[in-house]
Amino acid sequence: VRDQPRILLINVCLRYDVPLSCPPVGLACVATALRDAGFPAHILDVDLHRLDDDQIRAHLERHAYDIVGLGNIVSGYRHTKRLCRLVKSVQPDTLLVVGNTVASIPERLLGWNPEVDVAVLGEGDRTIVELVRTWRDGGSLAEVAGIALRRDGRVVRTPARPCIPRMEDIPFPDYSLFEFEKYLEMSWRFVPEPHPIPREKMLSLPVNTARGCPFDCSFCHHAFKACPYRYYPFATVVDYFARMQERHGVYYLNFWDELSLVSKARTVELCDALERRGIEAYWPVAPRGNLFAAKDLDLLRRCKDLGATTIGGALESAAPEILAAMNKKITADQFVEQMQTARRAGLTPNTSVVFGYPQETPQTIALTFEACERAGVYPSTGFVLPLPNTPIYELARQRGLIEDEEAYLLRIADRQDLHVNLTAMPDDVLVETVTAGLIRLKDVLDIPLSDKDVIKTTYYRAARRARPETGLEAATEDQP
Ligand code: B12
Ligand code: SF4
């Protein structure tokens, strides 16, 4: 048995050029689970403080840790690699644990990075506690379910960990472990307009209300892919929000889920919970692209009356053959009907579209913009970003478009840039056709964007205007 382990959790920064940070919900769940189990961790918040490598190194030189944990989405692989090297260069004997979707390719992650000792697969809350406890007790880490590690020079996966059966068994993250007030100060920038109250009051709390997703789109992977869809009762979510409102003055309930409103019944449940509690809260209606039809106008009006300001729901594409290839299970007409109904209810629609499936042509691109125009929505736009563990990634590999996987993962980041072209169009034709369609759409919808900002919208314009260290000049919306 060892002493109480000294644990460090690093909150990775994925976008050094964007002067915005939101509370790291997943890492906070991990930190909370550790704290509740009697293993408090120190947090090094690289994202909030935009620490450079010298500052991180200086911290590691001053403080010794037995276990260091970090994790991020797989598109941020290059940050994981850099930080793992940095950690082990200063503290070679620490146990380095990596989680989140960058750990979802454990054979490759550990193969490419000798610094990484353990990959935590999927849901991390319980695995991290058992891992730390086993380490402290001097047990064999190979006995811990839900991880991958090296044994005799090979990477092995331990048996899969059962998913946490009920969301109610997962505590809401304890943000007192972080510098929460600093996050709150900039949180209104994650709130899409309109803002019914002054923006200084529009403090936003991201809440993970559901884990997983019952659908299986061919470009999508997330940490809960192996788990069933689970959610908190909305009464529990609203009670939590009310407590956070009392304590911190938050007014915007920001859903941090794969899929928040899975059904109309869940939407009614949320409305009932808000009505019963009688708090002032603003929130986005966050269904898939085809949950509501014209006959649901009254329900959407009720949402609006209870503080909903916007409605999301991804279209991704309007071309039937592409929606089929995506396994998206919606039609463009359903999407348009949902958004038109929502507009009648007084909600502002937003959506996202993704271009570049193999079936994409100038005609399918035009079809997608036409659907956006009919719906009256200017979309957050991206290009297909094939990520490991998805069918579209396998297709890109089969076609020889991802030859060196590590080199590919090191160069990708945001889907707003074209990283892989699966279409028959040359790169410039694809990008120019999309750009021309967006320029036309923003003119038709009267969106105040310049022609060069149609794909990389708010975040990017803000980043150009504001230097990260002086910070926070003018971003108003989250661009996922
Ligand atoms: C907030 C968010 C962001 C934020 C910050 C991301 C972050 N810090 O995690 C920002 C805005 C930066 C972002 C950007 C993008 N995002 Co995003 N984002 C999300 C969102 C909405 C919420 C994440 C979250 O908090 N989840 C809730 C918590 C509880 O889950 P979790 O983070 O997975 O944490 C659990 C485990 O992963 C694990 N874990 C997490 N961290 C750690 C650390 C350790 C040490 C351990 C042991 C375990 C562990 O334990 C946690 C509890 O079980 C998710 C959707 C979702 N619900 O996951 C998408 C999601 C993570 N994003 C996604 C994508 C595709 C993107 C973009 C590529 C989109 C784009 N515009 O290009 C960019 C990438 C940017 C980049 N440069 O790499 C995908 C990830 C795909 C993948 N295979 O990784 C998701 C899953 C959405 C989806 N379904 O497509 N995103
Ligand atoms: S893209 Fe959305 S609907 Fe599709 S599987 Fe992922 S989370 Fe679910």
mmCIF file of all heavy atoms in Angstrom, residues 213 215-217 219-220 222 225 258-259 288 328, ligand 2:
data_model
loop_
_atom_site.group_PDB
_atom_site.id
_atom_site.type_symbol
_atom_site.label_atom_id
_atom_site.label_comp_id
_atom_site.label_asym_id
_atom_site.label_seq_id
_atom_site.Cartn_x
_atom_site.Cartn_y
_atom_site.Cartn_z
ATOM 1 N N CYS A 213 -26.364 8.508 -27.225
ATOM 2 C CA CYS A 213 -27.326 8.899 -28.254
ATOM 3 C C CYS A 213 -27.902 7.625 -28.856
ATOM 4 O O CYS A 213 -27.149 6.698 -29.154
ATOM 5 C CB CYS A 213 -26.619 9.719 -29.336
ATOM 6 S SG CYS A 213 -27.722 10.140 -30.705
ATOM 7 N N PHE A 215 -29.036 7.251 -31.742
ATOM 8 C CA PHE A 215 -28.788 7.179 -33.186
ATOM 9 C C PHE A 215 -27.337 6.795 -33.449
ATOM 10 O O PHE A 215 -26.534 6.686 -32.513
ATOM 11 C CB PHE A 215 -29.144 8.517 -33.840
ATOM 12 C CG PHE A 215 -30.613 8.809 -33.732
ATOM 13 C CD1 PHE A 215 -31.118 9.516 -32.645
ATOM 14 C CD2 PHE A 215 -31.497 8.338 -34.690
ATOM 15 C CE1 PHE A 215 -32.481 9.757 -32.512
ATOM 16 C CE2 PHE A 215 -32.864 8.575 -34.575
ATOM 17 C CZ PHE A 215 -33.358 9.285 -33.479
ATOM 18 N N ASP A 216 -27.022 6.588 -34.710
ATOM 19 C CA ASP A 216 -25.691 6.080 -35.032
ATOM 20 C C ASP A 216 -25.227 6.653 -36.378
ATOM 21 O O ASP A 216 -25.095 5.924 -37.361
ATOM 22 C CB ASP A 216 -25.764 4.537 -35.082
ATOM 23 C CG ASP A 216 -24.378 3.918 -35.078
ATOM 24 O OD1 ASP A 216 -23.410 4.620 -34.721
ATOM 25 O OD2 ASP A 216 -24.260 2.737 -35.463
ATOM 26 N N CYS A 217 -24.999 7.939 -36.408
ATOM 27 C CA CYS A 217 -24.610 8.585 -37.672
ATOM 28 C C CYS A 217 -23.192 8.154 -38.057
ATOM 29 O O CYS A 217 -22.341 7.969 -37.184
ATOM 30 C CB CYS A 217 -24.690 10.097 -37.534
ATOM 31 S SG CYS A 217 -26.343 10.645 -37.076
ATOM 32 N N PHE A 219 -20.639 9.548 -39.224
ATOM 33 C CA PHE A 219 -19.461 10.412 -39.005
ATOM 34 C C PHE A 219 -19.224 10.664 -37.524
ATOM 35 O O PHE A 219 -18.324 11.414 -37.155
ATOM 36 C CB PHE A 219 -19.658 11.774 -39.701
ATOM 37 C CG PHE A 219 -20.915 12.471 -39.280
ATOM 38 C CD1 PHE A 219 -20.953 13.229 -38.116
ATOM 39 C CD2 PHE A 219 -22.079 12.352 -40.021
ATOM 40 C CE1 PHE A 219 -22.118 13.839 -37.705
ATOM 41 C CE2 PHE A 219 -23.259 12.971 -39.620
ATOM 42 C CZ PHE A 219 -23.268 13.714 -38.455
ATOM 43 N N CYS A 220 -20.048 10.069 -36.664
ATOM 44 C CA CYS A 220 -20.068 10.499 -35.260
ATOM 45 C C CYS A 220 -19.441 9.464 -34.334
ATOM 46 O O CYS A 220 -19.760 8.281 -34.391
ATOM 47 C CB CYS A 220 -21.510 10.761 -34.827
ATOM 48 S SG CYS A 220 -21.656 11.237 -33.091
ATOM 49 N N HIS A 222 -18.398 9.423 -30.001
ATOM 50 C CA HIS A 222 -18.281 10.163 -28.745
ATOM 51 C C HIS A 222 -17.927 9.171 -27.650
ATOM 52 O O HIS A 222 -17.938 7.953 -27.875
ATOM 53 C CB HIS A 222 -19.577 10.923 -28.430
ATOM 54 C CG HIS A 222 -20.808 10.093 -28.582
ATOM 55 N ND1 HIS A 222 -21.189 9.179 -27.650
ATOM 56 C CD2 HIS A 222 -21.713 10.002 -29.594
ATOM 57 C CE1 HIS A 222 -22.294 8.570 -28.047
ATOM 58 N NE2 HIS A 222 -22.628 9.043 -29.238
ATOM 59 N N LYS A 225 -20.262 6.036 -26.766
ATOM 60 C CA LYS A 225 -20.762 5.243 -27.897
ATOM 61 C C LYS A 225 -21.123 3.814 -27.473
ATOM 62 O O LYS A 225 -22.065 3.234 -27.991
ATOM 63 C CB LYS A 225 -19.674 5.216 -28.976
ATOM 64 C CG LYS A 225 -20.163 4.947 -30.372
ATOM 65 C CD LYS A 225 -20.819 6.153 -31.010
ATOM 66 C CE LYS A 225 -21.480 5.763 -32.302
ATOM 67 N NZ LYS A 225 -21.979 6.879 -33.071
ATOM 68 N N GLU A 258 -24.842 14.996 -26.294
ATOM 69 C CA GLU A 258 -24.955 14.592 -27.688
ATOM 70 C C GLU A 258 -26.370 14.909 -28.176
ATOM 71 O O GLU A 258 -26.562 15.476 -29.232
ATOM 72 C CB GLU A 258 -24.707 13.089 -27.860
ATOM 73 C CG GLU A 258 -23.259 12.689 -27.942
ATOM 74 C CD GLU A 258 -22.638 12.591 -26.555
ATOM 75 O OE1 GLU A 258 -23.356 12.231 -25.602
ATOM 76 O OE2 GLU A 258 -21.451 12.884 -26.418
ATOM 77 N N LEU A 259 -27.350 14.476 -27.399
ATOM 78 C CA LEU A 259 -28.747 14.698 -27.781
ATOM 79 C C LEU A 259 -29.543 14.988 -26.515
ATOM 80 O O LEU A 259 -29.630 14.142 -25.633
ATOM 81 C CB LEU A 259 -29.296 13.449 -28.497
ATOM 82 C CG LEU A 259 -30.762 13.520 -28.916
ATOM 83 C CD1 LEU A 259 -31.021 14.718 -29.823
ATOM 84 C CD2 LEU A 259 -31.174 12.234 -29.623
ATOM 85 N N ARG A 288 -33.223 16.667 -32.198
ATOM 86 C CA ARG A 288 -32.654 16.394 -33.524
ATOM 87 C C ARG A 288 -33.376 17.280 -34.544
ATOM 88 O O ARG A 288 -34.287 18.028 -34.199
ATOM 89 C CB ARG A 288 -32.826 14.926 -33.885
ATOM 90 C CG ARG A 288 -31.977 14.022 -33.026
ATOM 91 C CD ARG A 288 -32.117 12.588 -33.477
ATOM 92 N NE ARG A 288 -31.164 12.250 -34.506
ATOM 93 C CZ ARG A 288 -31.466 11.874 -35.745
ATOM 94 N NH1 ARG A 288 -32.717 11.792 -36.137
ATOM 95 N NH2 ARG A 288 -30.506 11.569 -36.590
ATOM 96 N N LYS A 328 -28.600 9.314 -41.140
ATOM 97 C CA LYS A 328 -29.054 10.457 -40.336
ATOM 98 C C LYS A 328 -30.508 10.325 -39.894
ATOM 99 O O LYS A 328 -30.936 10.932 -38.910
ATOM 100 C CB LYS A 328 -28.835 11.735 -41.168
ATOM 101 C CG LYS A 328 -28.979 13.036 -40.448
ATOM 102 C CD LYS A 328 -27.829 13.304 -39.489
ATOM 103 C CE LYS A 328 -28.303 14.183 -38.368
ATOM 104 N NZ LYS A 328 -27.471 14.199 -37.191
HETATM 105 S S1 SF4 B 2 -24.513 13.037 -34.890
HETATM 106 FE FE1 SF4 B 2 -25.956 13.494 -33.260
HETATM 107 S S2 SF4 B 2 -27.751 12.198 -33.736
HETATM 108 FE FE2 SF4 B 2 -26.031 11.371 -34.893
HETATM 109 S S3 SF4 B 2 -25.188 9.749 -33.584
HETATM 110 FE FE3 SF4 B 2 -24.008 11.633 -33.189
HETATM 111 S S4 SF4 B 2 -24.996 12.587 -31.444
HETATM 112 FE FE4 SF4 B 2 -26.435 11.094 -32.281
#
